[in-house]
Amino acid sequence: MKESWRWYGPLDRIELSEIAQTGAGGIVTALHEIPYGEVWTREAIAARKAAVIEAGFEWTVVESLPIHERIKRSDGDLSELFANYRQSMANLAAEGMTTICYNFMPLLDWTRTDLAAPVARGGTCLRFSATKMAALELFMVEREEAVNDYPDCVVHEAKRWFDTSSEADRAELMHAVMAGLPGAYDRYDVEGLKTALKLYEDIGQLELRGHLKRFLDEVIPAAEDLGMRFCIHPDDPPRDILGLPRIVSDADDIGWILEAHDSPANGLTLCAGSLGANPANDVPAIARRFADRIHFAHLRNVKKDADGSFEEAAHLAGDTDMVDLVAALLEEEGRRREAGRPDREIPFRPDHGHELLGDGERGTHPGYPLIGRMRGLAELRGVIAGLTYKRVA
């Protein structure tokens, strides 16, 4: 497996020289500073690639080539947006990039309610509180129908939290929910979020699936011609929130997407944490079922609560059997080597991580600290070494 590390380019507080000390050999990055819908020029791509190579790395995966919200809504004439997207793909391919990770989550990326929840023995983690999310939906955004999306006990606790919260508490919650959007993304206050949600009022799961199918129809043939692989990232959290449909939350969703274009160019980013937050998901089983279409892996773990809340756990300490999951990916790599596939080595990165020791003082992107992710990478490296160890007589 190919050890990689997510780097936000000029927006990142972590330098490539520091990442080199983690032992990772690959960089996962994107041109986050370019607004959605605009073409990534070959010159800009080449400059980013040169910086990565000069620091001693390989640019392993593009994460992400973002999709404009109008495409997700299938809003109006999209010909220019699709043409720009395909041109960016061509420019990436011309610079040797072959793997593009993307997501199709409406409006928001990964969503948390707490960016610094305390962890036993010190440090902090990202957390999704069902109570706080329900408070946001019911009493801040005032989406009355959200009462049907949460258990009665959560609704009761949400009302209590809202009634006792301060304006600063509510502002902090809104900041946390928006924090999953890196780079040149729109961020909203409560009134702005209400307005943005209205654009999705008539879009349910079936409609959003249709819009994803249209996107795949536009880009997968181009990816095949360019020798590129697309890999969709699962929803995070893997459930509808704010009335927005989520369509990449379980094995059935993934199966539908991969069958929509039965092509190696249409693949999966296996995100253990996103899928692991759904109690119905057996993540190692999902990895084995779709192994031949996994082009990239995010390895992290979560610990779930009965009310639908969850938080980031240490990489080997959450609800997902990480050793079994890594074994599934290594099994697939073995099959690819035997088949002579050029993509025999699956790139992965330690995803998210606890803020440990001095991490909290650096102001890095939430979920992407240096020391916490380095701990995760070291643990995963040990698992891989143990599973691939061969005693020499």
Side-chain angles (χ1 to χ4, degrees):
M1 295 176 67
K2 187 176 295 185
E3 293 184 4
S4 303
W5 187 278
R6 189 171 193 179
W7 179 58
Y8 286 98
L11 302 175
D12 208 318
R13 298 288 182 87
I14 300 172
E15 302 290 339
L16 287 170
S17 59
E18 295 176 293
I19 298 171
Q21 297 176 56
T22 71
I27 289 293
V28 173
T29 191
L31 306 185
H32 296 292
E33 61 274 21
I34 297 179
Y36 284 17
E38 294 186 10
V39 172
W40 289 13
T41 66
R42 184 167 178 182
E43 292 75 17
I45 295 165
R48 182 60 50 83
K49 180 180 178 182
V52 169
I53 291 174
E54 184 178 354
F57 296 97
E58 173 190 1
W59 185 356
T60 53
V61 177
V62 178
E63 186 182 355
S64 298
L65 181 57
I67 301 169
H68 199 281
E69 288 298 313
R70 285 184 52 215
I71 292 176
K72 296 177 186 178
R73 298 194 304 266
S74 198
D75 177 15
D77 181 2
L78 302 177
S79 55
E80 182 178 0
L81 285 174
F82 282 128
N84 286 355
Y85 201 94
R86 287 191 294 267
Q87 185 60 58
S88 296
M89 291 168 56
N91 292 342
L92 284 163
E95 290 299 323
M97 302 308 302
T98 60
T99 305
I100 295 176
C101 169
Y102 72 102
N103 78 71
F104 214 77
M105 288 180 268
L107 207 59
L108 301 176
D109 203 298
W110 59 263
T111 303
R112 299 292 185 273
T113 60
D114 299 87
L115 302 181
V119 175
R121 303 187 70 184
T124 65
C125 70
L126 301 178
R127 179 171 173 80
F128 179 89
S129 162
T131 292
K132 288 185 179 181
M133 196 68 206
L136 176 71
E137 295 205 45
L138 285 165
F139 309 117
M140 293 171 63
V141 178
E142 299 175 313
R143 195 176 75 84
E144 295 180 1
E145 56 270 31
V147 71
N148 300 314
D149 297 340
Y150 295 92
D152 290 344
C153 60
V154 171
V155 173
H156 175 76
E157 288 300 314
K159 182 65 164 64
R160 187 167 69 172
W161 182 89
F162 181 78
D163 288 344
T164 59
S165 64
S166 65
E167 287 297 325
D169 293 331
R170 297 169 196 173
E172 183 178 358
L173 172 57
M174 196 67 191
H175 170 71
V177 169
M178 292 294 112
L181 302 175
Y185 296 75
D186 290 329
R187 288 171 170 81
Y188 308 99
D189 58 15
V190 171
E191 292 305 315
L193 182 57
K194 288 181 182 180
T195 300
L197 289 171
K198 289 179 181 178
L199 298 174
Y200 280 92
E201 282 182 341
D202 298 323
I203 299 175
Q205 185 182 66
L206 289 178
E207 289 78 13
L208 191 62
R209 273 189 170 186
H211 302 170
L212 174 57
K213 177 64 164 59
R214 181 181 179 185
F215 171 76
L216 294 174
D217 290 344
E218 293 280 354
V219 303
I220 294 302
E224 292 170 338
D225 291 342
L226 293 166
M228 304 187 86
R229 297 181 293 270
F230 268 67
C231 42
I232 193 166
H233 186 286
D235 301 327
D236 187 7
R239 51 162 292 173
D240 295 356
I241 55 172
L242 292 163
L244 298 168
R246 295 293 180 95
I247 57 171
V248 198
S249 293
D250 57 27
D252 289 342
D253 288 342
I254 295 167
W256 183 91
I257 292 164
L258 299 186
E259 290 172 8
H261 266 274
D262 191 9
S263 165
N266 179 28
L268 172 67
T269 296
L270 193 286
C271 180
S274 298
L275 292 170
N278 183 341
N281 286 338
D282 180 334
V283 182
I286 289 174
R288 289 186 168 92
R289 176 176 170 182
F290 301 110
D292 67 330
R293 300 281 277 277
I294 294 173
H295 301 320
F296 184 31
H298 292 178
L299 299 183
R300 63 182 174 89
N301 223 324
V302 296
K303 179 181 178 182
K304 298 182 288 292
D305 298 334
D307 68 353
S309 303
F310 62 89
E311 65 182 37
E312 308 285 352
H315 284 71
L316 303 184
D319 295 336
T320 294
D321 185 339
M322 189 61 68
V323 176
D324 192 28
L325 176 58
V326 171
L329 297 174
L330 290 171
E331 291 162 9
E332 172 60 17
E333 284 192 334
R335 287 188 290 270
R336 294 182 187 189
R337 282 193 296 271
E338 291 179 5
R341 283 176 54 167
D343 61 339
R344 61 180 62 89
E345 194 173 13
I346 298 172
F348 79 95
R349 63 175 178 83
D351 196 12
H352 294 182
H354 292 171
E355 286 194 341
L356 304 174
L357 302 172
D359 276 334
E361 301 169 4
R362 299 194 57 148
T364 55
H365 286 74
Y368 291 91
L370 176 62
I371 298 170
R373 280 189 291 165
M374 184 166 65
R375 173 188 170 180
L377 178 58
E379 292 177 343
L380 294 167
R381 183 181 294 143
V383 170
I384 294 167
L387 290 171
T388 56
Y389 174 73
K390 294 181 180 180
R391 186 180 299 277
V392 178

